[in-house]
Amino acid sequence: MDSESLQAIVAPLLEWYDRHARILPWRESPEPYRVWISEIMLQQTRVEAVKPYYDRFLKELPNLHALAEAPEPQLLKLWEGLGYYNRVRNLQKAARVIVSEYGGEFPRDVETLRSLPGIGEYTAGAIASISFNRPEPAVDGNVLRVVSRLAASREDISSPKVKGAISDALRQVYPAGRCGDFTQSLMELGATVCLPNGAPRCAECPLAELCAGRREGIAAGLPVKPGRKPRRIEPRTVFLLRCGDRIALLRRPGSGLLAGLWEFPNTAGSLTVAEAAEWMAGQGIFAERIIATGGAKHVFTHLEWHMSGFLADCKAENGGFHWVTRDELEREISLPTAFRPFVEALDAESAQPSLF
């Protein structure tokens, strides 16, 4: 879609946004710190799910200096449940750069923003337009979908060339004085009306009369996206090792999946109870009883863990593990969402019969 065609959407879209925009906590005061935190949290996470995380994060770390100085355990605990923990680590890295190199003031130009850890083209555009009223587009999946349908475009939206062309065309139609509202109106339309997966609400759309995809009857089939490769399935067995009132944890390696986070001990494969006892013995853990827990599935981007678990009451702690109380687990430990379904099994009554 060229900039001349896009120019026609500006007025009706802003008029619609003024009347229908959702009230969201990060819109109340579009300071760059608040916009930045919200945009990083919202990546691949629903708005309603983000709200309590956002409120808690801002309460404990209200500004760049607080974020830059936060201890890692506090940082990870605040992010617990959002996943993609490198995002919050990059938030802190960027905060430290802004404090040390820019006097604690957010850079206003997109190029400098993009140079900060964890800030890509989309986030830089969002901060520049929403916080600094600059004509810089923030092109995410919502915006790509809206523009593809408006133009009845069958081009592959995963192509950097296509994304770049849409960004360039949008940049030319940004309305002076309302750049932030225009960015958010495009996001809002995609999030609430021009919905994904073949479900556009064309009857509610302020741009329906301007939409080539609707006129041609193909809007529901757009945008064009490449087929996804199937995720790799990986069975895993999770061990809840309990010694008195303390529970065993391990820290994951510093790089790779769930880097540096705490986890319940686990191993590849779906083990039988005899194999589980053998695995524990190999770790220097000898159980007075072993009971099976419920299973769980966790989906990563390119991988699925299909997990089963065992709860074991151990005769003694092993120094190879980090042992914490249940209270410490809840208050201080950032446990990845993948392992959260197993936490309630820690409360299993000792009277439950052992499998071993």
Side-chain angles (χ1 to χ4, degrees):
M1 195 170 198
D2 57 32
S3 57
E4 185 176 345
S5 300
L6 282 172
Q7 186 67 60
I9 76 170
V10 176
L13 187 56
L14 286 174
E15 181 182 352
W16 170 84
Y17 180 74
D18 289 341
R19 289 185 286 113
H20 295 284
R22 291 170 294 176
I23 297 173
L24 301 174
W26 42 89
R27 288 179 177 167
E28 296 170 2
S29 178
E31 300 164 0
Y33 181 74
R34 297 168 65 91
V35 170
W36 176 44
I37 299 301
S38 70
E39 290 298 339
I40 299 299
M41 285 187 172
L42 285 164
Q43 292 173 17
Q44 295 181 287
T45 309
R46 294 179 299 104
V47 165
E48 291 304 314
V50 162
K51 284 180 180 180
Y53 286 99
Y54 177 83
D55 291 340
R56 185 177 64 169
F57 196 96
L58 267 291
K59 183 177 180 180
E60 293 199 29
L61 304 176
N63 53 51
L64 278 166
H65 290 275
L67 173 56
E69 296 168 4
E72 186 178 74
Q74 179 191 18
L75 198 66
L76 296 179
K77 190 65 179 175
L78 288 171
W79 205 260
E80 183 181 41
L82 283 171
Y84 302 97
Y85 286 85
N86 277 341
R87 291 177 182 170
V88 74
R89 291 188 173 109
N90 281 331
L91 279 173
Q92 185 170 68
K93 289 176 185 176
R96 288 171 174 171
V97 171
I98 296 169
V99 168
S100 63
E101 298 184 17
Y102 300 99
E105 295 290 330
F106 253 90
R108 290 173 172 260
D109 63 285
V110 169
E111 292 75 17
T112 306
L113 285 168
R114 280 201 298 257
S115 73
L116 295 170
I119 296 185
E121 190 168 349
Y122 165 78
T123 306
I127 296 169
S129 60
I130 297 171
S131 297
F132 301 128
N133 201 32
R134 303 226 167 173
E136 294 291 346
V139 178
D140 66 352
N142 283 325
V143 175
L144 289 169
R145 183 170 59 257
V146 167
V147 176
S148 293
R149 287 173 173 171
L150 283 169
S153 172
R154 294 173 175 82
E155 294 185 286
D156 181 357
I157 61 168
S158 68
S159 163
K161 181 179 178 181
V162 172
K163 290 181 182 178
I166 290 175
S167 293
D168 290 343
L170 284 170
R171 190 174 288 108
Q172 297 178 54
V173 304
Y174 262 70
R178 297 206 66 183
C179 292
D181 287 341
F182 186 58
T183 286
Q184 294 190 91
S185 68
L186 284 166
M187 296 175 180
E188 191 78 352
L189 190 72
T192 63
V193 175
C194 196
L195 300 174
N197 302 320
R201 298 173 176 171
C202 296
E204 303 172 28
C205 182
L207 308 180
E209 297 304 314
L210 301 172
C211 182
R214 176 177 175 271
R215 284 197 304 273
E216 296 177 23
I218 61 172
L222 298 174
V224 172
K225 295 180 283 187
R228 287 187 177 180
K229 294 181 180 179
R231 295 188 187 94
R232 177 167 57 89
I233 306 298
E234 184 176 293
R236 297 199 73 80
T237 300
V238 177
F239 293 88
L240 306 173
L241 307 179
R242 187 170 61 182
C243 187
D245 66 346
R246 287 154 66 86
I247 304 136
L249 297 175
L250 284 174
R251 191 184 287 277
R252 291 183 66 83
S255 61
L257 188 68
L258 303 176
L261 300 178
W262 291 106
E263 64 179 356
F264 294 127
N266 61 93
T267 189
S270 182
L271 304 189
T272 65
V273 64
E275 291 169 335
E278 183 179 354
W279 183 91
M280 286 187 286
Q283 315 300 312
I285 292 290
F286 298 93
E288 295 178 336
R289 72 181 191 123
I290 301 174
I291 62 174
T293 72
K297 180 176 80 170
H298 189 78
V299 177
F300 299 97
T301 305
H302 304 295
L303 171 70
E304 287 185 23
W305 277 357
H306 290 194
M307 297 174 286
S308 56
F310 292 102
L311 170 68
D313 284 316
C314 307
K315 296 178 180 179
E317 294 181 9
N318 180 298
F321 298 103
H322 179 67
W323 297 83
V324 299
T325 65
R326 178 64 185 272
D327 185 56
E328 289 170 333
L329 178 66
E330 295 296 340
R331 288 189 299 104
E332 302 173 14
I333 300 296
S334 177
L335 193 68
T337 304
F339 296 102
R340 276 281 152 194
F342 294 95
V343 171
E344 65 181 42
L346 292 168
D347 298 325
E349 295 296 328
S350 58
Q352 192 165 339
S354 174
L355 298 174
F356 183 77

